[in-house]
Amino acid sequence: MAHQNDHNFNGSSVVPPREPVVVVMLPFPIQGHFSAVVHLSRLLSARGIPVHFVSTAVTIQQIAQRVQGDGNNLSTSNPIQFHDLGIHSFPSPPPVPNASNKLPVQLASTFEGVVNFHQPLAKLLTSLSSTARRVLVVHDCFMAFALEKASSAANIHNLEVYCFSPFPIFTDLYVSWELLGRPNWPSFDYLKEYSHHLTLDGCLLDGFFEKFMVPQVELSAQMSSGYIYNSCRPLEGKFIDILLSLPPFQEGNATLWCLGPLVGRLQLTADSSPLIAEGGTSQKSSELSLMSRHKCLEWLDTQPQNSVLYVAFGTATTLTEEDINQLARGLESSQHRFIWVFREADRSDVIDANNEIRRIGLPVGFEKRVTEGGMGMIVRDWAPQVEILAHPSTGGYLTHSGWNSVVESLGMGVPMAVWPMHSDHPTNAVLVTEVLKVGVFVQEWANRNDIVSSTVIENAVRKLMDSDEGKEMRKRAEELSVALRKSVLAEEGMSSTEELDLFIKHISR
């Protein structure tokens, strides 16, 4: 029998109070999906909305270790209540570095297993529905099966559902356009400009799209009163307008809420002086860092402005030995300072101490040469990504182009060299390079089966960090950062903060 444990940041059990509305967050339990949802939870909680975050014990521990440790204190006067749904049975095999498709196949069991959330979730929803006028569920687009089963079992009359997309609107529009057979609709004319760069081929495992994604997208459309995106007008204004022109929104059957940027919001202020915490508390960056300042930030303190390339590929990408060797040689040949987060991809259970970690190696002598010479730093543990990107010494980001990473990078005004690996990365990379023009390709998706040589990597790094074109990318990234900060600080019409206020007013009506 699945069990349920309730936690908050004070470590005590909490009985949900009688409230006009409570929000239940139902993220997909992998880092790239739940990270932004944690920060949305924090924003709502700071504004007095009771938030119940439901997931596995592993995910909750992951959040405590990773999200709290990035300088963004999640504690508020109205603590988020974390519910362990008692699901502990996901197998956790190691990543497969030499697979023909770079998708994180080690997480396949998670996709299959989350449907088992429905029984304990139904119990929680039933309990909350008796203490609140309205129970609002914000679910990941990959959690529709579990939610539909849970809501049917619970038979709750006061349930309202919103779908949270972990992808940009540009990517969701393109996928929808492909599913519909690329119809010749005026709304999609803007997408056609980039269609020669775009394809779903190779992004997903054969059969996965039809079996897992499409049915959940269709089910989400049936259940949801609206959609929430980690985006905003400065990033995707044109695509927001396209989405709003489509029937569900035109006919009033769905609402759209663009509440981003969610991660890194604490650092997004009008200048680099005091950081404005959610809820209006002012804190100096040095005070935030006193809790546990990572050694890489101290190294960055000693580097010139915009001189360091940050290299990281997220939590779900596994590089082959050849990839690693070519990347190491390319970085060294570029003669640019860098921080490389050199970690194995996450498994389903990232907390299990018994998991054998693949000892991925670097070329012989590489680490000694670059570290002793002061050129680079290798980070093998969890890195404070937002703080690295926010540091004035960081001038570029070599990334897989996962959406959280893209938003964080642009929030801090850092241009990108993009090397897409799987899932939404290829379309995100087109958004970065072709639409926003704040990045350069390391490898375009059409050439994904080719080995990326050290020379190609070196040239991409030099183009990003040295060239006039790279300087223009940095200028545009910095301009976007200013626009995002204004959006967070509600300094212009329809900012993300105003959207958040309207969302809270809507769900509390």
Side-chain angles (χ1 to χ4, degrees):
M1 176 73 71
H3 66 280
Q4 174 182 304
N5 298 317
D6 298 346
H7 308 279
N8 67 11
F9 283 110
N10 298 321
S12 59
S13 296
V14 174
V15 177
R18 187 170 296 278
E19 295 284 352
V21 62
V22 297
V23 175
V24 175
M25 294 292 185
L26 185 63
F28 189 72
I30 62 174
Q31 182 80 35
H33 283 244
F34 69 66
S35 179
V37 178
V38 173
H39 290 274
L40 175 58
S41 301
R42 182 173 175 270
L43 288 170
L44 295 176
S45 181
R47 285 160 175 76
I49 302 292
V51 176
H52 298 260
F53 192 103
V54 299
S55 197
T56 65
V58 167
T59 298
I60 293 168
Q61 190 173 350
Q62 218 174 324
I63 291 167
Q65 290 181 355
R66 292 180 174 182
V67 181
Q68 281 185 287
D70 71 355
N72 293 331
N73 187 1
L74 292 175
S75 299
T76 70
S77 58
N78 184 30
I80 302 165
Q81 296 183 50
F82 284 83
H83 299 262
D84 164 21
L85 294 184
I87 306 296
H88 304 282
S89 58
F90 300 153
S92 191
V96 183
N98 294 311
S100 58
N101 188 307
K102 289 186 181 293
L103 271 165
V105 293
Q106 73 276 11
L107 301 177
S109 60
T110 306
F111 285 89
E112 297 289 344
V114 291
V115 70
N116 295 321
F117 278 30
H118 71 279
Q119 289 181 330
L121 179 60
K123 183 178 179 182
L124 174 63
L125 293 177
T126 300
S127 173
L128 292 176
S129 70
S130 65
T131 64
R133 181 163 49 84
R134 179 181 295 112
V135 178
L136 186 133
V137 178
V138 177
H139 72 99
D140 187 285
C141 57
F142 288 168
M143 297 299 291
F145 288 160
L147 178 58
E148 193 275 334
K149 280 192 168 188
S151 58
S152 297
N155 193 26
I156 298 171
H157 70 281
N158 57 346
L159 188 70
E160 192 166 294
V161 175
Y162 289 82
C163 179
F164 179 88
S165 175
F167 312 117
I169 292 171
F170 177 78
T171 292
D172 275 357
L173 281 172
Y174 174 70
V175 171
S176 299
W177 189 46
E178 282 279 7
L179 288 175
L180 293 169
R182 292 193 171 192
N184 191 27
W185 294 350
S187 296
F188 287 93
D189 283 345
Y190 198 72
L191 284 177
K192 294 176 186 176
E193 295 181 33
Y194 309 103
S195 59
H196 62 288
H197 287 286
L198 296 168
T199 177
L200 296 180
D201 293 345
C203 295
L204 301 165
L205 296 173
D206 291 342
F208 176 84
F209 194 75
E210 296 79 5
K211 176 184 177 182
F212 192 84
M213 284 188 63
V214 175
Q216 299 226 56
V217 169
E218 293 173 346
L219 185 56
S220 292
Q222 296 170 18
M223 293 191 301
S224 300
S225 299
Y227 294 83
I228 299 172
Y229 283 88
N230 180 21
S231 191
C232 58
R233 285 204 166 269
L235 286 178
E236 296 197 275
K238 293 177 181 177
F239 306 111
I240 290 173
D241 290 337
I242 292 174
L243 190 58
L244 288 172
S245 73
L246 299 182
F249 302 99
Q250 280 287 304
E251 296 166 5
N253 297 323
T255 51
L256 175 65
W257 307 97
C258 295
L259 306 180
L262 293 170
V263 183
R265 200 177 181 103
L266 185 67
Q267 284 85 352
L268 285 174
T269 56
D271 53 44
S272 58
S273 54
L275 299 179
I276 308 301
E278 306 303 341
T281 303
S282 178
Q283 293 177 290
K284 297 288 186 181
S285 58
S286 58
E287 293 172 354
L288 288 171
S289 299
L290 282 177
M291 290 181 287
S292 57
R293 197 160 193 260
H294 197 282
K295 59 186 178 181
C296 70
L297 299 175
E298 297 177 0
W299 183 81
L300 280 170
D301 290 343
T302 66
Q303 308 305 318
Q305 186 172 353
N306 289 334
S307 67
V308 177
L309 178 73
Y310 174 55
V311 183
F313 294 93
T315 56
T317 295
T318 300
L319 297 179
T320 66
E321 184 176 348
E322 183 64 25
D323 289 334
I324 292 167
N325 289 336
Q326 295 295 337
L327 179 54
R329 288 199 286 268
L331 291 174
E332 190 170 13
S333 298
S334 76
Q335 292 297 300
H336 271 283
R337 297 171 175 87
F338 64 86
I339 290 177
W340 183 0
V341 180
F342 190 62
R343 298 177 60 254
E344 182 67 286
D346 281 352
R347 300 186 184 195
S348 294
D349 188 348
V350 300
I351 308 300
D352 187 356
N354 295 319
N355 280 339
E356 288 188 14
I357 299 174
R358 180 173 66 112
R359 299 300 175 185
I360 47 180
L362 290 164
V364 175
F366 168 77
E367 185 169 4
K368 183 177 180 180
R369 288 193 304 275
V370 298
T371 55
E372 290 184 358
M375 178 185 180
M377 184 175 188
I378 307 298
V379 177
R380 287 183 167 83
D381 54 358
W382 184 253
Q385 178 159 296
V386 174
E387 292 182 65
I388 292 171
L389 291 168
H391 198 286
S393 295
T394 303
Y397 180 13
L398 200 166
T399 174
H400 59 306
S401 60
W403 184 235
N404 287 331
S405 293
V406 169
V407 173
E408 291 162 26
S409 192
L410 294 179
M412 304 310 148
V414 178
M416 287 160 274
V418 293
W419 185 353
M421 296 290 174
H422 55 75
S423 21
D424 62 321
H425 304 171
T427 46
N428 297 351
V430 171
L431 177 61
V432 168
T433 58
E434 303 299 316
V435 182
L436 299 175
K437 299 187 184 302
V438 290
V440 57
F441 273 108
V442 175
Q443 182 184 55
E444 292 207 37
W445 189 242
N447 303 321
R448 63 190 175 276
N449 294 321
D450 298 339
I451 292 175
V452 182
S453 70
S454 61
T455 301
V456 167
I457 293 168
E458 176 189 349
N459 290 340
V461 172
R462 288 185 181 276
K463 184 175 183 180
L464 182 69
M465 302 294 286
D466 288 336
S467 71
D468 290 339
E469 188 177 351
K471 290 175 183 176
E472 286 299 314
M473 293 174 194
R474 180 169 295 106
K475 180 181 177 183
R476 282 190 289 269
E478 290 170 349
E479 289 170 350
L480 267 176
S481 177
V482 170
L484 290 173
R485 292 179 181 191
K486 288 181 178 180
S487 186
V488 166
L489 293 172
E491 291 186 5
E492 53 188 28
M494 291 309 295
S495 70
S496 63
T497 296
E498 289 172 315
E499 284 268 301
L500 179 65
D501 291 340
L502 289 171
F503 177 68
I504 291 173
K505 182 178 180 180
H506 173 76
I507 64 176
S508 303
R509 65 194 184 282

